[in-house]
Short mmCIF file of all heavy atoms in Angstrom, two decimals:
data_model
loop_
_atom_site.label_atom_id
_atom_site.label_comp_id
_atom_site.label_asym_id
_atom_site.label_seq_id
_atom_site.Cartn_x
_atom_site.Cartn_y
_atom_site.Cartn_z
N GLY P 38 -24.15 34.82 16.28
CA GLY P 38 -25.11 35.86 15.95
C GLY P 38 -24.71 36.60 14.69
O GLY P 38 -23.58 36.47 14.20
N ALA P 39 -25.63 37.39 14.16
CA ALA P 39 -25.36 38.16 12.95
C ALA P 39 -26.14 39.47 12.97
O ALA P 39 -27.20 39.56 13.58
CB ALA P 39 -25.74 37.36 11.71
N ASN P 40 -25.60 40.47 12.31
CA ASN P 40 -26.28 41.74 12.05
C ASN P 40 -26.38 41.90 10.55
O ASN P 40 -25.39 41.73 9.83
CB ASN P 40 -25.49 42.92 12.62
CG ASN P 40 -25.64 43.07 14.10
OD1 ASN P 40 -26.22 42.22 14.75
ND2 ASN P 40 -25.08 44.13 14.63
N VAL P 41 -27.56 42.24 10.09
CA VAL P 41 -27.81 42.46 8.67
C VAL P 41 -28.36 43.87 8.52
O VAL P 41 -29.25 44.27 9.25
CB VAL P 41 -28.84 41.43 8.13
CG1 VAL P 41 -29.08 41.65 6.65
CG2 VAL P 41 -28.38 40.01 8.40
N GLY P 42 -27.80 44.63 7.59
CA GLY P 42 -28.26 45.99 7.41
C GLY P 42 -28.29 46.39 5.94
O GLY P 42 -27.66 45.75 5.09
N ALA P 43 -29.03 47.44 5.65
CA ALA P 43 -29.09 47.98 4.30
C ALA P 43 -29.36 49.47 4.38
O ALA P 43 -30.13 49.93 5.21
CB ALA P 43 -30.18 47.30 3.49
N ARG P 44 -28.70 50.20 3.51
CA ARG P 44 -28.91 51.64 3.40
C ARG P 44 -29.17 51.96 1.94
O ARG P 44 -28.50 51.43 1.06
CB ARG P 44 -27.67 52.40 3.88
CG ARG P 44 -27.81 53.91 3.77
CD ARG P 44 -26.54 54.61 4.19
NE ARG P 44 -26.61 56.01 3.83
CZ ARG P 44 -26.73 57.01 4.68
NH1 ARG P 44 -26.80 56.75 5.97
NH2 ARG P 44 -26.78 58.25 4.27
N LEU P 45 -30.13 52.83 1.69
CA LEU P 45 -30.43 53.26 0.34
C LEU P 45 -30.26 54.78 0.28
O LEU P 45 -30.92 55.51 1.05
CB LEU P 45 -31.86 52.88 -0.07
CG LEU P 45 -32.26 53.28 -1.47
CD1 LEU P 45 -31.41 52.55 -2.51
CD2 LEU P 45 -33.73 53.00 -1.71
N ASP P 46 -29.34 55.23 -0.55
CA ASP P 46 -29.12 56.66 -0.76
C ASP P 46 -29.68 57.05 -2.11
O ASP P 46 -29.59 56.28 -3.07
CB ASP P 46 -27.62 56.98 -0.75
CG ASP P 46 -27.02 56.85 0.63
OD1 ASP P 46 -27.22 57.77 1.43
OD2 ASP P 46 -26.36 55.83 0.90
N TRP P 47 -30.25 58.25 -2.20
CA TRP P 47 -30.76 58.76 -3.46
C TRP P 47 -30.28 60.19 -3.63
O TRP P 47 -30.29 60.99 -2.69
CB TRP P 47 -32.28 58.73 -3.49
CG TRP P 47 -32.82 59.35 -4.74
CD1 TRP P 47 -32.96 58.75 -5.95
CD2 TRP P 47 -33.23 60.70 -4.90
NE1 TRP P 47 -33.45 59.64 -6.86
CE2 TRP P 47 -33.62 60.86 -6.24
CE3 TRP P 47 -33.30 61.79 -4.05
CZ2 TRP P 47 -34.08 62.07 -6.74
CZ3 TRP P 47 -33.76 63.00 -4.55
CH2 TRP P 47 -34.15 63.12 -5.88
N SER P 48 -29.83 60.49 -4.84
CA SER P 48 -29.39 61.83 -5.20
C SER P 48 -30.06 62.21 -6.50
O SER P 48 -30.15 61.39 -7.42
CB SER P 48 -27.86 61.83 -5.37
OG SER P 48 -27.43 62.99 -6.05
N SER P 49 -30.49 63.45 -6.61
CA SER P 49 -31.13 63.90 -7.85
C SER P 49 -30.12 63.93 -9.01
O SER P 49 -30.50 63.84 -10.16
CB SER P 49 -31.74 65.29 -7.66
OG SER P 49 -30.74 66.23 -7.34
N GLU P 50 -28.83 63.98 -8.69
CA GLU P 50 -27.80 64.01 -9.73
C GLU P 50 -27.32 62.62 -10.13
O GLU P 50 -27.00 62.37 -11.28
CB GLU P 50 -26.60 64.82 -9.25
CG GLU P 50 -26.90 66.29 -9.03
CD GLU P 50 -25.69 67.02 -8.52
OE1 GLU P 50 -24.67 67.05 -9.26
OE2 GLU P 50 -25.75 67.54 -7.40
N PHE P 51 -27.25 61.67 -9.16
CA PHE P 51 -26.63 60.37 -9.42
C PHE P 51 -27.58 59.19 -9.28
O PHE P 51 -27.19 58.05 -9.49
CB PHE P 51 -25.43 60.18 -8.49
CG PHE P 51 -24.38 61.22 -8.67
CD1 PHE P 51 -24.27 62.28 -7.78
CD2 PHE P 51 -23.53 61.18 -9.76
CE1 PHE P 51 -23.31 63.26 -7.96
CE2 PHE P 51 -22.57 62.16 -9.94
CZ PHE P 51 -22.46 63.20 -9.05
N GLY P 52 -28.82 59.40 -8.88
CA GLY P 52 -29.79 58.31 -8.75
C GLY P 52 -29.68 57.58 -7.43
O GLY P 52 -29.21 58.13 -6.44
N ALA P 53 -30.09 56.30 -7.43
CA ALA P 53 -30.13 55.50 -6.20
C ALA P 53 -28.92 54.58 -6.10
O ALA P 53 -28.41 54.09 -7.11
CB ALA P 53 -31.41 54.67 -6.17
N MET P 54 -28.46 54.35 -4.87
CA MET P 54 -27.34 53.44 -4.61
C MET P 54 -27.63 52.68 -3.33
O MET P 54 -27.92 53.29 -2.29
CB MET P 54 -26.04 54.23 -4.47
CG MET P 54 -24.84 53.39 -4.10
SD MET P 54 -24.42 52.10 -5.29
CE MET P 54 -23.73 53.04 -6.59
N ALA P 55 -27.56 51.35 -3.39
CA ALA P 55 -27.78 50.50 -2.21
C ALA P 55 -26.44 50.15 -1.57
O ALA P 55 -25.45 49.91 -2.27
CB ALA P 55 -28.51 49.23 -2.61
N SER P 56 -26.41 50.12 -0.23
CA SER P 56 -25.21 49.76 0.52
C SER P 56 -25.57 48.70 1.56
O SER P 56 -26.00 49.02 2.67
CB SER P 56 -24.63 51.00 1.23
OG SER P 56 -24.33 52.01 0.30
N PRO P 57 -25.42 47.41 1.22
CA PRO P 57 -25.73 46.34 2.17
C PRO P 57 -24.58 46.10 3.14
O PRO P 57 -23.43 46.46 2.86
CB PRO P 57 -25.93 45.12 1.26
CG PRO P 57 -25.05 45.40 0.09
CD PRO P 57 -25.08 46.90 -0.11
N SER P 58 -24.89 45.50 4.29
CA SER P 58 -23.85 45.13 5.26
C SER P 58 -24.23 43.84 5.97
O SER P 58 -25.42 43.53 6.14
CB SER P 58 -23.63 46.24 6.28
OG SER P 58 -24.78 46.44 7.07
N LEU P 59 -23.21 43.07 6.36
CA LEU P 59 -23.41 41.81 7.07
C LEU P 59 -22.26 41.65 8.06
O LEU P 59 -21.09 41.83 7.71
CB LEU P 59 -23.42 40.64 6.09
CG LEU P 59 -23.47 39.24 6.70
CD1 LEU P 59 -24.79 39.03 7.44
CD2 LEU P 59 -23.30 38.19 5.62
N ALA P 60 -22.58 41.32 9.30
CA ALA P 60 -21.58 41.07 10.32
C ALA P 60 -21.95 39.79 11.07
O ALA P 60 -23.14 39.51 11.27
CB ALA P 60 -21.50 42.24 11.30
N ALA P 61 -20.94 39.01 11.46
CA ALA P 61 -21.18 37.77 12.18
C ALA P 61 -20.28 37.71 13.41
O ALA P 61 -19.19 38.29 13.44
CB ALA P 61 -20.90 36.57 11.28
N ARG P 62 -20.76 37.00 14.45
CA ARG P 62 -20.02 36.87 15.70
C ARG P 62 -20.18 35.44 16.20
O ARG P 62 -21.25 34.86 16.12
CB ARG P 62 -20.59 37.83 16.74
CG ARG P 62 -20.07 37.60 18.14
CD ARG P 62 -20.90 38.29 19.20
NE ARG P 62 -22.35 38.21 19.08
CZ ARG P 62 -23.09 37.17 19.44
NH1 ARG P 62 -22.54 36.08 19.88
NH2 ARG P 62 -24.40 37.22 19.34
N ALA P 63 -19.08 34.88 16.70
CA ALA P 63 -19.12 33.54 17.29
C ALA P 63 -18.30 33.56 18.57
O ALA P 63 -17.17 34.06 18.59
CB ALA P 63 -18.56 32.50 16.33
N LEU P 64 -18.88 33.06 19.66
CA LEU P 64 -18.16 32.95 20.92
C LEU P 64 -17.45 31.60 20.94
O LEU P 64 -18.07 30.56 20.78
CB LEU P 64 -19.12 33.07 22.10
CG LEU P 64 -19.87 34.40 22.20
CD1 LEU P 64 -20.86 34.35 23.36
CD2 LEU P 64 -18.90 35.54 22.38
N VAL P 65 -16.13 31.64 21.14
CA VAL P 65 -15.31 30.43 21.19
C VAL P 65 -14.56 30.47 22.52
O VAL P 65 -13.56 31.17 22.66
CB VAL P 65 -14.33 30.36 20.01
CG1 VAL P 65 -13.51 29.09 20.07
CG2 VAL P 65 -15.07 30.47 18.70
N GLY P 66 -15.07 29.74 23.51
CA GLY P 66 -14.48 29.81 24.84
C GLY P 66 -14.60 31.23 25.37
O GLY P 66 -15.65 31.86 25.28
N PRO P 67 -13.48 31.78 25.88
CA PRO P 67 -13.53 33.15 26.41
C PRO P 67 -13.38 34.23 25.32
O PRO P 67 -13.47 35.41 25.61
CB PRO P 67 -12.34 33.19 27.37
CG PRO P 67 -11.37 32.23 26.78
CD PRO P 67 -12.21 31.13 26.17
N ALA P 68 -13.16 33.82 24.07
CA ALA P 68 -12.91 34.78 22.99
C ALA P 68 -14.15 34.93 22.10
O ALA P 68 -14.99 34.05 22.03
CB ALA P 68 -11.73 34.32 22.14
N ALA P 69 -14.21 36.05 21.43
CA ALA P 69 -15.27 36.30 20.45
C ALA P 69 -14.61 36.54 19.10
O ALA P 69 -13.73 37.40 18.97
CB ALA P 69 -16.09 37.51 20.84
N LEU P 70 -15.01 35.78 18.10
CA LEU P 70 -14.53 35.98 16.74
C LEU P 70 -15.56 36.81 15.99
O LEU P 70 -16.76 36.52 16.06
CB LEU P 70 -14.33 34.64 16.04
CG LEU P 70 -13.36 33.67 16.69
CD1 LEU P 70 -13.36 32.35 15.95
CD2 LEU P 70 -11.96 34.27 16.73
N ARG P 71 -15.10 37.82 15.27
CA ARG P 71 -16.01 38.70 14.55
C ARG P 71 -15.53 38.89 13.12
O ARG P 71 -14.33 38.96 12.87
CB ARG P 71 -16.09 40.07 15.23
CG ARG P 71 -16.63 40.00 16.63
CD ARG P 71 -16.53 41.37 17.29
NE ARG P 71 -16.86 41.28 18.69
CZ ARG P 71 -18.01 41.68 19.21
NH1 ARG P 71 -18.92 42.22 18.43
NH2 ARG P 71 -18.23 41.57 20.49
N ALA P 72 -16.48 39.02 12.21
CA ALA P 72 -16.17 39.30 10.81
C ALA P 72 -17.30 40.17 10.25
O ALA P 72 -18.44 40.06 10.67
CB ALA P 72 -16.07 38.01 10.02
N SER P 73 -16.94 41.03 9.30
CA SER P 73 -17.97 41.86 8.67
C SER P 73 -17.58 42.18 7.24
O SER P 73 -16.40 42.17 6.88
CB SER P 73 -18.20 43.15 9.46
OG SER P 73 -17.04 43.95 9.43
N VAL P 74 -18.60 42.45 6.45
CA VAL P 74 -18.41 42.86 5.06
C VAL P 74 -19.52 43.86 4.74
O VAL P 74 -20.64 43.74 5.23
CB VAL P 74 -18.43 41.65 4.10
CG1 VAL P 74 -19.76 40.93 4.14
CG2 VAL P 74 -18.08 42.06 2.69
N ASN P 75 -19.16 44.89 3.97
CA ASN P 75 -20.17 45.88 3.59
C ASN P 75 -19.75 46.60 2.33
O ASN P 75 -18.62 46.45 1.87
CB ASN P 75 -20.44 46.88 4.72
CG ASN P 75 -19.19 47.59 5.16
OD1 ASN P 75 -18.43 48.07 4.34
ND2 ASN P 75 -18.97 47.67 6.45
N ARG P 76 -20.66 47.36 1.80
CA ARG P 76 -20.40 48.14 0.61
C ARG P 76 -20.80 49.57 0.92
O ARG P 76 -21.87 49.82 1.47
CB ARG P 76 -21.23 47.61 -0.55
CG ARG P 76 -21.08 48.41 -1.81
CD ARG P 76 -21.94 47.83 -2.90
NE ARG P 76 -21.92 48.74 -4.03
CZ ARG P 76 -22.65 48.57 -5.10
NH1 ARG P 76 -23.46 47.53 -5.18
NH2 ARG P 76 -22.58 49.42 -6.07
N GLY P 77 -19.93 50.51 0.59
CA GLY P 77 -20.23 51.91 0.87
C GLY P 77 -20.34 52.72 -0.41
O GLY P 77 -19.95 52.27 -1.49
N TYR P 78 -20.88 53.91 -0.31
CA TYR P 78 -21.03 54.80 -1.45
C TYR P 78 -20.76 56.22 -1.00
O TYR P 78 -21.19 56.64 0.08
CB TYR P 78 -22.46 54.72 -2.02
CG TYR P 78 -22.73 55.75 -3.08
CD1 TYR P 78 -22.21 55.60 -4.34
CD2 TYR P 78 -23.50 56.86 -2.80
CE1 TYR P 78 -22.44 56.56 -5.32
CE2 TYR P 78 -23.75 57.82 -3.77
CZ TYR P 78 -23.21 57.65 -5.01
OH TYR P 78 -23.45 58.59 -5.98
#
Side-chain angles (χ1 to χ4, degrees):
N40 283 7
V41 181
R44 179 183 169 110
L45 181 64
D46 289 282
W47 176 83
S48 165
S49 62
E50 295 178 62
F51 300 102
M54 175 61 73
S56 302
S58 65
L59 174 65
R62 169 195 44 79
L64 298 176
V65 181
L70 301 175
R71 298 174 188 256
S73 65
V74 62
N75 57 47
R76 177 180 172 185
Y78 172 75

